[in-house]
Amino acid sequence: MPKNSKHSPEEALGLERIVFFSDAVMAIAITLLAIDIRIPEIEPSVAAMELPGQLAAITPNLLTFFISFIVIGIYWISHHRYFSYIKRYDTRLILLNLMFLFFIACMPFVASLLGRFPSVPIALVIYTLAVAALGASMALIWRYASKGHRLVESHLDAGTIRIINMRLFVAPLMFVMAVPFAFISTFAVIVVWWLSPLAVILATQLWARK
Amino acid sequence: MPKNSKHSPEEALGLERIVFFSDAVMAIAITLLAIDIRIPEIEPSVAAMELPGQLAAITPNLLTFFISFIVIGIYWISHHRYFSYIKRYDTRLILLNLMFLFFIACMPFVASLLGRFPSVPIALVIYTLAVAALGASMALIWRYASKGHRLVESHLDAGTIRIINMRLFVAPLMFVMAVPFAFISTFAVIVVWWLSPLAVILATQLWARK
Amino acid sequence: MPKNSKHSPEEALGLERIVFFSDAVMAIAITLLAIDIRIPEIEPSVAAMELPGQLAAITPNLLTFFISFIVIGIYWISHHRYFSYIKRYDTRLILLNLMFLFFIACMPFVASLLGRFPSVPIALVIYTLAVAALGASMALIWRYASKGHRLVESHLDAGTIRIINMRLFVAPLMFVMAVPFAFISTFAVIVVWWLSPLAVILATQLWARK
Amino acid sequence: MPKNSKHSPEEALGLERIVFFSDAVMAIAITLLAIDIRIPEIEPSVAAMELPGQLAAITPNLLTFFISFIVIGIYWISHHRYFSYIKRYDTRLILLNLMFLFFIACMPFVASLLGRFPSVPIALVIYTLAVAALGASMALIWRYASKGHRLVESHLDAGTIRIINMRLFVAPLMFVMAVPFAFISTFAVIVVWWLSPLAVILATQLWARK
């Protein structure tokens, strides 16, 4: 464990347990995503002939698994990156982090729901809002921890703090904006989803030019 | 790992493994809570029309998931907070901690049971007793570790030890008291559940005035 | 991490990852034990009346969950205790440890099998042999690591090594001896199971007197 | 944590979290392999007579569980061994590692599929390709990290780097070569699978003689 004059060893250990617990929850959720994909039920005598078709029928489940793996993967990277700046903790940070983990724990359920009903608007809306809530929780964690250098390194650059803040809020905003498209088509929603990383990059570029 | 003159590095490593194992069990249980929520089975042709109604029908499961997430979350915070005072361990502490983890491992099952039968007295009684047993285990861990500063820091304030003791016993007591209300209505039980944090705060205040 | 002149920091980190991976597998298996207990399927209108009876019907599942939790708990304690003496590792230790984890990973399946068919001899035999294999793996890990102080602290007492060796082999031996009783009755097998800790204590006592 | 002048303590902690998250995902996947093995459904009255036959019928599931446990076990050992040489990390290493974890997370699904349809070519092809992709990801991690000593210890021998590179690519290559055999018979595929460790050993020997 790195020695750091800003916090006592006890605090470092406490922070490590928070990070560890979060890693464990994210690892379980990301691995459980695939568990709910149903193996087709086919009579052995016709299995060789019917299995390819049955597997094609669960393509939406496989795609949702893949997309959700990327979503949790991206937020694990965010958590990994931004918690490396956080050096102290308090009860509110723990509560915000539990809120983040709540939406992580929701992912296998909302992913299964979308995989089973990929073209039903309410399934698309629930999935999109769950991802938006996940992103918003991460943004709130950062906002709370970084405001006035509350829990981050005191020498952390104010510009860096603001860019991270902006980046973390753009992604959930894009997801909220994708909600009305759920009533048009699944394809439209997916287009807006994929635009969100582009929006993050664009917003970062514009911000940097200012 | 923090250096500490009160215990050898081997003991610190052993204690870290206990904490780590507990975190892993709590992380798994909290993530598995959502796994058992059933995706409704609907024919694709009527899915768009029937899914909202079917999702409304699983509201009790979603609520139980949410409540159970809070329960495990609260006890994770307790475990995190009170184990930060514990500096040594013995076999009895390990056994009490395994008892605590046993009731953590029961949560996904009792939550599923309550989610499926939210108005059946026996499901309410089982859930309430499981949470009470979880709380009582945490209280016993603290009582055992703190008595005569058995396993905690020797300079830990006796008043702090007593307040934690009292707090940890009030919550499971409230849950036991909620049991008879299960035979009146689900709503009555939930009211008593939500009163338990208030009781903890009230008891702490009264204690402090003494 | 404890400083130790017997091994380089890299080796300590490698050993920590082995212990960590084992803890994670044991934590998952112990929590998954309860996941497979089926919630009874009852029509809502008769749920209040029929649920107590249906829960009584899954008593074998609940008992098997409880026994299996104790089994994994005991072997977690063993792993925790005996790995605290192990200071180095090689590929063979990793392979023996993976064998141990294989039988840990089998526990949820064999427990479900026994819970569903508590009075069928083959289910009893499979469960008993799985627990025996788990115990034998732990015994082999210790035997390999401690022989000639291969991987343990060089100042570890030879008497202690022998007592641990003997203890770890008595438990799986008792379980193997319980196998024929599976063809008499479930109750007979359970009696032999519960005698195994007594046998361990007795053997330790006799050994100490020698 | 080992002190090392090549990287700051923050970097060491960041690397530890990557390794930890990977361990947790592998631990969950390896334990979930057995979860999907179905307990046979038999009427209690005929259970004693029919259970042995029903268990014989799930032999393919048990074998696939066993083979997949070995596959994940081998790649855990690889990850453990080769990450011990890696001392720094960047975003690309994290992404390659997430790709590796994606195929780890796929294992319970592809193993279930093969266990249910052991003689259907497409199930064999999917399983074989999933293991090949897992191996290729590990090989890419090493290639990326070791090229020009990008992320590994600067004093690591160039010959060692090349041997590891070669070893890690031979295994997935053998699995890709096993694909056409899926259209002949399950047995032919399994023979090619088991030849892959021999190919790794042979290739290493030939390389060493050069």
Side-chain angles (χ1 to χ4, degrees):
Chain A
M1 192 172 307
K3 303 293 164 281
N4 190 318
S5 59
K6 298 287 175 329
H7 59 289
S8 67
E10 267 77 20
E11 218 166 336
L13 196 64
L15 191 58
E16 202 176 51
R17 249 193 101 172
I18 295 168
V19 163
F20 170 85
F21 183 70
S22 311
D23 273 353
V25 170
M26 286 186 272
I28 297 152
I30 213 169
T31 317
L32 286 177
L33 287 172
I35 272 298
D36 211 49
I37 303 174
R38 283 194 203 169
I39 306 296
E41 304 280 347
I42 313 171
E43 282 298 301
S45 57
V46 292
M49 229 167 66
E50 291 199 3
L51 189 56
Q54 295 274 339
L55 286 175
I58 60 167
T59 308
N61 300 70
L62 300 173
L63 276 177
T64 322
F65 160 51
F66 185 67
I67 293 172
S68 306
F69 191 95
I70 291 173
V71 168
I72 300 184
I74 286 173
Y75 280 104
W76 179 78
I77 294 175
S78 283
H79 200 277
H80 179 263
R81 186 177 292 164
Y82 303 129
F83 264 77
S84 74
Y85 294 121
I86 296 177
K87 296 294 165 193
R88 289 174 299 277
Y89 70 95
D90 57 15
T91 304
R92 282 188 192 177
L93 184 77
I94 291 177
L95 293 175
L96 285 172
N97 194 51
L98 279 175
M99 192 172 90
F100 171 80
L101 297 178
F102 176 77
F103 293 112
I104 287 284
C106 287
M107 286 304 294
F109 172 72
V110 298
S112 285
L113 190 69
L114 184 59
R116 200 87 47 97
F117 306 107
S119 56
V120 177
I122 199 171
L124 275 158
V125 169
I126 289 173
Y127 186 84
T128 308
L129 287 179
V131 177
L134 183 63
S137 312
M138 189 69 236
L140 286 173
I141 287 173
W142 180 252
R143 196 180 163 75
Y144 177 74
S146 66
K147 200 167 188 187
H149 291 80
R150 192 186 273 123
L151 303 171
V152 296
E153 291 165 347
S154 57
H155 55 78
L156 191 66
D157 180 50
T160 307
I161 289 179
R162 273 199 306 272
I163 283 184
I164 298 172
N165 246 321
M166 191 263 301
R167 266 190 189 185
L168 286 173
F169 275 108
V170 169
L173 209 70
M174 287 294 295
F175 268 77
V176 168
M177 279 166 52
V179 167
F181 293 86
F183 299 95
I184 303 172
S185 84
T186 308
F187 183 71
V189 176
I190 292 173
V191 169
V192 184
W193 286 352
W194 291 123
L195 288 176
S196 73
L198 290 179
V200 171
I201 294 164
L202 194 73
T204 313
Q205 292 294 327
L206 286 172
W207 190 276
R209 280 203 202 147
K210 262 202 324 198
Chain B
M1 191 172 307
K3 303 292 164 283
N4 191 317
S5 59
K6 297 289 176 327
H7 58 292
S8 69
E10 267 77 20
E11 219 167 338
L13 197 64
L15 192 58
E16 202 176 51
R17 249 193 102 172
I18 296 168
V19 163
F20 169 85
F21 183 70
S22 312
D23 273 352
V25 170
M26 287 186 273
I28 297 153
I30 213 170
T31 317
L32 285 177
L33 288 172
I35 271 298
D36 212 49
I37 303 174
R38 284 195 202 166
I39 307 294
E41 304 280 346
I42 314 171
E43 282 298 301
S45 56
V46 293
M49 228 166 68
E50 291 199 3
L51 189 56
Q54 295 274 341
L55 286 175
I58 60 167
T59 308
N61 300 70
L62 299 174
L63 274 177
T64 322
F65 161 51
F66 185 68
I67 292 172
S68 306
F69 192 96
I70 291 174
V71 167
I72 300 185
I74 286 173
Y75 279 105
W76 179 78
I77 295 175
S78 283
H79 201 277
H80 179 262
R81 187 177 291 163
Y82 303 129
F83 263 78
S84 74
Y85 294 120
I86 296 178
K87 298 293 164 193
R88 288 173 300 277
Y89 70 93
D90 57 15
T91 304
R92 282 189 191 175
L93 183 76
I94 291 177
L95 293 175
L96 286 172
N97 194 52
L98 278 175
M99 191 171 92
F100 172 79
L101 296 178
F102 175 78
F103 293 112
I104 287 283
C106 287
M107 286 303 295
F109 172 72
V110 298
S112 286
L113 191 70
L114 184 59
R116 200 86 47 97
F117 305 108
S119 57
V120 176
I122 198 172
L124 275 159
V125 169
I126 289 173
Y127 186 85
T128 308
L129 286 179
V131 178
L134 183 64
S137 311
M138 188 69 235
L140 286 173
I141 287 173
W142 180 251
R143 195 180 164 74
Y144 177 73
S146 67
K147 200 168 188 187
H149 291 80
R150 193 186 274 123
L151 303 171
V152 296
E153 291 164 345
S154 57
H155 54 80
L156 191 67
D157 179 51
T160 307
I161 289 178
R162 274 198 306 272
I163 284 184
I164 297 172
N165 247 322
M166 191 263 303
R167 268 190 188 185
L168 286 173
F169 275 108
V170 169
L173 209 71
M174 288 293 296
F175 268 77
V176 169
M177 278 166 52
V179 167
F181 293 87
F183 299 94
I184 303 172
S185 85
T186 308
F187 184 73
V189 176
I190 292 173
V191 168
V192 184
W193 287 353
W194 291 123
L195 288 176
S196 74
L198 291 179
V200 171
I201 294 164
L202 194 72
T204 313
Q205 292 294 328
L206 285 173
W207 190 277
R209 279 202 201 146
K210 262 204 322 197
Chain C
M1 193 173 306
K3 303 292 165 283
N4 191 317
S5 58
K6 297 289 175 329
H7 58 291
S8 68
E10 267 77 20
E11 220 167 338
L13 195 64
L15 192 58
E16 202 176 51
R17 248 193 101 171
I18 296 168
V19 163
F20 169 84
F21 183 70
S22 312
D23 273 352
V25 170
M26 286 186 272
I28 296 153
I30 213 170
T31 317
L32 285 177
L33 287 173
I35 270 297
D36 212 49
I37 304 174
R38 284 195 204 167
I39 306 296
E41 304 280 348
I42 313 170
E43 283 297 300
S45 57
V46 293
M49 227 166 68
E50 291 199 3
L51 189 56
Q54 294 274 341
L55 286 175
I58 59 166
T59 308
N61 300 71
L62 299 174
L63 275 177
T64 322
F65 161 53
F66 185 68
I67 292 172
S68 306
F69 191 95
I70 291 173
V71 168
I72 300 184
I74 285 174
Y75 280 104
W76 179 79
I77 294 175
S78 282
H79 201 277
H80 179 263
R81 186 177 292 163
Y82 303 129
F83 264 78
S84 74
Y85 294 121
I86 296 177
K87 298 293 165 194
R88 287 174 302 276
Y89 71 94
D90 57 15
T91 305
R92 282 190 191 173
L93 183 77
I94 291 178
L95 293 175
L96 286 172
N97 194 52
L98 278 175
M99 191 170 92
F100 172 80
L101 296 179
F102 176 77
F103 293 113
I104 287 284
C106 287
M107 287 304 295
F109 171 73
V110 298
S112 285
L113 191 70
L114 184 59
R116 201 86 48 96
F117 304 109
S119 57
V120 176
I122 198 172
L124 275 158
V125 169
I126 289 173
Y127 187 85
T128 308
L129 287 179
V131 177
L134 183 64
S137 311
M138 188 71 236
L140 286 173
I141 288 173
W142 180 249
R143 195 179 166 76
Y144 177 74
S146 66
K147 200 167 187 188
H149 291 80
R150 191 185 276 123
L151 303 171
V152 296
E153 290 164 347
S154 58
H155 55 78
L156 190 67
D157 180 51
T160 307
I161 289 178
R162 274 199 306 273
I163 284 183
I164 297 173
N165 247 321
M166 190 262 303
R167 267 190 188 183
L168 286 173
F169 276 108
V170 169
L173 209 70
M174 287 294 295
F175 268 77
V176 169
M177 278 166 52
V179 167
F181 292 87
F183 300 93
I184 303 172
S185 83
T186 307
F187 184 72
V189 177
I190 292 173
V191 168
V192 184
W193 287 351
W194 292 124
L195 288 176
S196 73
L198 291 179
V200 172
I201 294 165
L202 195 71
T204 313
Q205 293 294 327
L206 285 172
W207 191 277
R209 279 201 201 147
K210 260 202 328 196
Chain D
M1 194 171 306
K3 302 295 164 280
N4 191 317
S5 58
K6 297 288 175 331
H7 58 290
S8 67
E10 267 78 20
E11 219 166 339
L13 196 64
L15 192 58
E16 202 177 51
R17 249 193 101 172
I18 295 167
V19 163
F20 169 84
F21 182 70
S22 311
D23 273 352
V25 170
M26 286 186 273
I28 297 153
I30 214 170
T31 318
L32 285 177
L33 288 173
I35 271 299
D36 211 50
I37 303 174
R38 284 194 203 169
I39 306 295
E41 304 280 347
I42 313 170
E43 282 297 300
S45 57
V46 293
M49 229 165 66
E50 291 199 2
L51 189 55
Q54 296 274 339
L55 286 174
I58 59 167
T59 308
N61 300 71
L62 300 173
L63 275 177
T64 321
F65 161 52
F66 185 67
I67 292 172
S68 306
F69 192 95
I70 291 173
V71 168
I72 300 184
I74 285 173
Y75 280 104
W76 179 79
I77 295 175
S78 282
H79 201 277
H80 179 262
R81 186 177 292 163
Y82 303 129
F83 264 78
S84 75
Y85 294 121
I86 296 178
K87 296 295 164 193
R88 288 175 299 277
Y89 71 94
D90 57 15
T91 304
R92 283 189 191 174
L93 184 77
I94 291 178
L95 293 175
L96 286 172
N97 194 52
L98 279 175
M99 191 171 92
F100 172 80
L101 297 178
F102 176 78
F103 292 113
I104 287 284
C106 287
M107 286 304 294
F109 171 73
V110 298
S112 286
L113 190 69
L114 184 59
R116 201 87 47 97
F117 304 108
S119 57
V120 176
I122 199 172
L124 275 158
V125 170
I126 289 172
Y127 186 84
T128 308
L129 287 179
V131 177
L134 183 63
S137 312
M138 189 69 237
L140 286 173
I141 287 174
W142 180 252
R143 196 180 164 76
Y144 177 74
S146 66
K147 200 169 187 186
H149 291 81
R150 192 184 275 123
L151 304 171
V152 296
E153 290 165 347
S154 57
H155 55 78
L156 191 66
D157 179 51
T160 307
I161 289 179
R162 274 198 306 272
I163 285 183
I164 297 173
N165 246 322
M166 191 264 302
R167 266 191 189 182
L168 286 173
F169 276 108
V170 168
L173 209 70
M174 288 294 294
F175 268 76
V176 169
M177 278 166 52
V179 168
F181 293 86
F183 299 94
I184 303 172
S185 84
T186 307
F187 183 71
V189 176
I190 292 173
V191 168
V192 184
W193 287 352
W194 290 124
L195 288 176
S196 74
L198 290 179
V200 171
I201 293 164
L202 194 72
T204 313
Q205 292 294 326
L206 286 172
W207 191 276
R209 280 200 200 147
K210 262 203 327 197

mmCIF file of all heavy atoms in Angstrom, chain D residues 6-7 23 41 46 48 53 61 98-99 115 126 142 165 170 193 197-198:
data_model
loop_
_atom_site.group_PDB
_atom_site.id
_atom_site.type_symbol
_atom_site.label_atom_id
_atom_site.label_comp_id
_atom_site.label_asym_id
_atom_site.label_seq_id
_atom_site.Cartn_x
_atom_site.Cartn_y
_atom_site.Cartn_z
ATOM 1 N N LYS D 6 10.745 1.112 -10.376
ATOM 2 C CA LYS D 6 10.281 1.339 -11.747
ATOM 3 C C LYS D 6 8.902 1.978 -11.815
ATOM 4 O O LYS D 6 8.495 2.466 -12.837
ATOM 5 C CB LYS D 6 10.225 0.019 -12.539
ATOM 6 C CG LYS D 6 11.537 -0.662 -12.740
ATOM 7 C CD LYS D 6 12.405 0.048 -13.724
ATOM 8 C CE LYS D 6 13.779 -0.590 -13.824
ATOM 9 N NZ LYS D 6 14.267 -1.256 -12.610
ATOM 10 N N HIS D 7 8.154 1.909 -10.768
ATOM 11 C CA HIS D 7 6.811 2.466 -10.831
ATOM 12 C C HIS D 7 6.436 3.080 -9.493
ATOM 13 O O HIS D 7 6.904 2.662 -8.437
ATOM 14 C CB HIS D 7 5.798 1.403 -11.223
ATOM 15 C CG HIS D 7 5.781 0.246 -10.278
ATOM 16 N ND1 HIS D 7 6.826 -0.649 -10.200
ATOM 17 C CD2 HIS D 7 4.883 -0.151 -9.365
ATOM 18 C CE1 HIS D 7 6.539 -1.551 -9.276
ATOM 19 N NE2 HIS D 7 5.391 -1.272 -8.760
ATOM 20 N N ASP D 23 -9.028 -11.801 -11.124
ATOM 21 C CA ASP D 23 -9.154 -12.968 -10.250
ATOM 22 C C ASP D 23 -10.606 -13.204 -9.863
ATOM 23 O O ASP D 23 -11.081 -14.342 -9.854
ATOM 24 C CB ASP D 23 -8.338 -12.767 -8.961
ATOM 25 C CG ASP D 23 -6.896 -13.204 -9.136
ATOM 26 O OD1 ASP D 23 -6.572 -13.789 -10.181
ATOM 27 O OD2 ASP D 23 -6.091 -12.952 -8.229
ATOM 28 N N GLU D 41 -35.080 -34.384 -12.724
ATOM 29 C CA GLU D 41 -36.424 -34.298 -12.140
ATOM 30 C C GLU D 41 -37.026 -35.695 -12.109
ATOM 31 O O GLU D 41 -37.357 -36.246 -13.157
ATOM 32 C CB GLU D 41 -37.315 -33.402 -13.018
ATOM 33 C CG GLU D 41 -36.808 -32.015 -13.272
ATOM 34 C CD GLU D 41 -37.085 -31.104 -12.099
ATOM 35 O OE1 GLU D 41 -37.883 -31.512 -11.211
ATOM 36 O OE2 GLU D 41 -36.501 -30.021 -12.038
ATOM 37 N N VAL D 46 -39.910 -43.269 -7.417
ATOM 38 C CA VAL D 46 -39.029 -44.077 -8.271
ATOM 39 C C VAL D 46 -37.585 -43.552 -8.276
ATOM 40 O O VAL D 46 -36.746 -44.013 -9.054
ATOM 41 C CB VAL D 46 -39.562 -44.138 -9.728
ATOM 42 C CG1 VAL D 46 -40.867 -44.914 -9.770
ATOM 43 C CG2 VAL D 46 -39.733 -42.735 -10.306
ATOM 44 N N ALA D 48 -34.974 -43.740 -6.215
ATOM 45 C CA ALA D 48 -33.870 -44.647 -5.892
ATOM 46 C C ALA D 48 -33.492 -45.494 -7.101
ATOM 47 O O ALA D 48 -32.331 -45.790 -7.342
ATOM 48 C CB ALA D 48 -34.245 -45.532 -4.710
ATOM 49 N N GLY D 53 -29.458 -43.928 -13.510
ATOM 50 C CA GLY D 53 -29.582 -43.796 -14.954
ATOM 51 C C GLY D 53 -29.630 -42.334 -15.388
ATOM 52 O O GLY D 53 -28.994 -41.942 -16.369
ATOM 53 N N ASN D 61 -22.486 -33.287 -19.382
ATOM 54 C CA ASN D 61 -22.440 -32.031 -18.635
ATOM 55 C C ASN D 61 -21.314 -32.057 -17.608
ATOM 56 O O ASN D 61 -20.611 -31.065 -17.410
ATOM 57 C CB ASN D 61 -23.761 -31.795 -17.886
ATOM 58 C CG ASN D 61 -24.948 -31.716 -18.830
ATOM 59 O OD1 ASN D 61 -25.354 -32.719 -19.405
ATOM 60 N ND2 ASN D 61 -25.456 -30.520 -19.022
ATOM 61 N N LEU D 98 -9.826 -6.849 -20.463
ATOM 62 C CA LEU D 98 -11.296 -6.962 -20.471
ATOM 63 C C LEU D 98 -11.745 -7.925 -21.569
ATOM 64 O O LEU D 98 -12.716 -8.662 -21.387
ATOM 65 C CB LEU D 98 -11.963 -5.595 -20.654
ATOM 66 C CG LEU D 98 -12.083 -4.739 -19.391
ATOM 67 C CD1 LEU D 98 -12.651 -3.360 -19.731
ATOM 68 C CD2 LEU D 98 -12.989 -5.407 -18.340
ATOM 69 N N MET D 99 -11.037 -7.927 -22.705
ATOM 70 C CA MET D 99 -11.354 -8.872 -23.779
ATOM 71 C C MET D 99 -11.135 -10.306 -23.265
ATOM 72 O O MET D 99 -11.982 -11.186 -23.484
ATOM 73 C CB MET D 99 -10.469 -8.606 -24.991
ATOM 74 C CG MET D 99 -10.904 -9.340 -26.229
ATOM 75 S SD MET D 99 -9.964 -8.767 -27.685
ATOM 76 C CE MET D 99 -8.603 -9.939 -27.666
ATOM 77 N N GLY D 115 -22.361 -29.164 -23.040
ATOM 78 C CA GLY D 115 -22.826 -30.223 -22.143
ATOM 79 C C GLY D 115 -24.193 -30.747 -22.562
ATOM 80 O O GLY D 115 -24.482 -31.938 -22.445
ATOM 81 N N ILE D 126 -18.506 -23.737 -31.476
ATOM 82 C CA ILE D 126 -18.608 -22.545 -30.612
ATOM 83 C C ILE D 126 -17.682 -22.697 -29.402
ATOM 84 O O ILE D 126 -16.928 -21.781 -29.053
ATOM 85 C CB ILE D 126 -20.076 -22.313 -30.172
ATOM 86 C CG1 ILE D 126 -20.907 -21.835 -31.369
ATOM 87 C CG2 ILE D 126 -20.155 -21.305 -29.041
ATOM 88 C CD1 ILE D 126 -22.398 -21.749 -31.104
ATOM 89 N N TRP D 142 0.151 -10.607 -23.530
ATOM 90 C CA TRP D 142 1.590 -10.760 -23.350
ATOM 91 C C TRP D 142 2.379 -10.046 -24.443
ATOM 92 O O TRP D 142 3.363 -9.353 -24.154
ATOM 93 C CB TRP D 142 1.979 -12.245 -23.291
ATOM 94 C CG TRP D 142 3.443 -12.412 -23.099
ATOM 95 C CD1 TRP D 142 4.356 -12.843 -24.009
ATOM 96 C CD2 TRP D 142 4.181 -12.064 -21.926
ATOM 97 N NE1 TRP D 142 5.612 -12.798 -23.482
ATOM 98 C CE2 TRP D 142 5.536 -12.317 -22.197
ATOM 99 C CE3 TRP D 142 3.830 -11.552 -20.671
ATOM 100 C CZ2 TRP D 142 6.547 -12.094 -21.271
ATOM 101 C CZ3 TRP D 142 4.827 -11.316 -19.735
ATOM 102 C CH2 TRP D 142 6.166 -11.585 -20.033
ATOM 103 N N ASN D 165 5.758 -15.880 -25.670
ATOM 104 C CA ASN D 165 4.983 -15.492 -26.844
ATOM 105 C C ASN D 165 4.574 -16.693 -27.683
ATOM 106 O O ASN D 165 3.399 -16.860 -28.027
ATOM 107 C CB ASN D 165 5.864 -14.593 -27.735
ATOM 108 C CG ASN D 165 5.318 -13.184 -27.797
ATOM 109 O OD1 ASN D 165 4.111 -12.993 -27.843
ATOM 110 N ND2 ASN D 165 6.206 -12.214 -27.757
ATOM 111 N N VAL D 170 0.648 -21.005 -29.537
ATOM 112 C CA VAL D 170 0.468 -22.382 -30.024
ATOM 113 C C VAL D 170 -0.878 -22.967 -29.565
ATOM 114 O O VAL D 170 -1.602 -23.574 -30.361
ATOM 115 C CB VAL D 170 1.644 -23.286 -29.585
ATOM 116 C CG1 VAL D 170 1.318 -24.756 -29.835
ATOM 117 C CG2 VAL D 170 2.919 -22.897 -30.331
ATOM 118 N N TRP D 193 -7.845 -31.411 -28.873
ATOM 119 C CA TRP D 193 -7.721 -30.581 -27.664
ATOM 120 C C TRP D 193 -6.565 -31.063 -26.802
ATOM 121 O O TRP D 193 -5.737 -30.282 -26.370
ATOM 122 C CB TRP D 193 -8.993 -30.650 -26.821
ATOM 123 C CG TRP D 193 -10.165 -29.921 -27.365
ATOM 124 C CD1 TRP D 193 -10.210 -29.076 -28.441
ATOM 125 C CD2 TRP D 193 -11.502 -29.968 -26.854
ATOM 126 N NE1 TRP D 193 -11.471 -28.602 -28.623
ATOM 127 C CE2 TRP D 193 -12.293 -29.130 -27.671
ATOM 128 C CE3 TRP D 193 -12.118 -30.642 -25.786
ATOM 129 C CZ2 TRP D 193 -13.662 -28.944 -27.448
ATOM 130 C CZ3 TRP D 193 -13.467 -30.454 -25.562
ATOM 131 C CH2 TRP D 193 -14.226 -29.620 -26.387
ATOM 132 N N PRO D 197 -1.606 -29.315 -25.342
ATOM 133 C CA PRO D 197 -0.490 -29.160 -24.390
ATOM 134 C C PRO D 197 0.783 -29.839 -24.891
ATOM 135 O O PRO D 197 1.880 -29.310 -24.713
ATOM 136 C CB PRO D 197 -0.981 -29.821 -23.098
ATOM 137 C CG PRO D 197 -2.338 -30.342 -23.363
ATOM 138 C CD PRO D 197 -2.772 -29.947 -24.723
ATOM 139 N N LEU D 198 0.625 -30.998 -25.563
ATOM 140 C CA LEU D 198 1.799 -31.678 -26.120
ATOM 141 C C LEU D 198 2.474 -30.792 -27.162
ATOM 142 O O LEU D 198 3.701 -30.678 -27.190
ATOM 143 C CB LEU D 198 1.395 -33.005 -26.781
ATOM 144 C CG LEU D 198 0.947 -34.108 -25.828
ATOM 145 C CD1 LEU D 198 0.560 -35.357 -26.602
ATOM 146 C CD2 LEU D 198 2.067 -34.426 -24.840
#
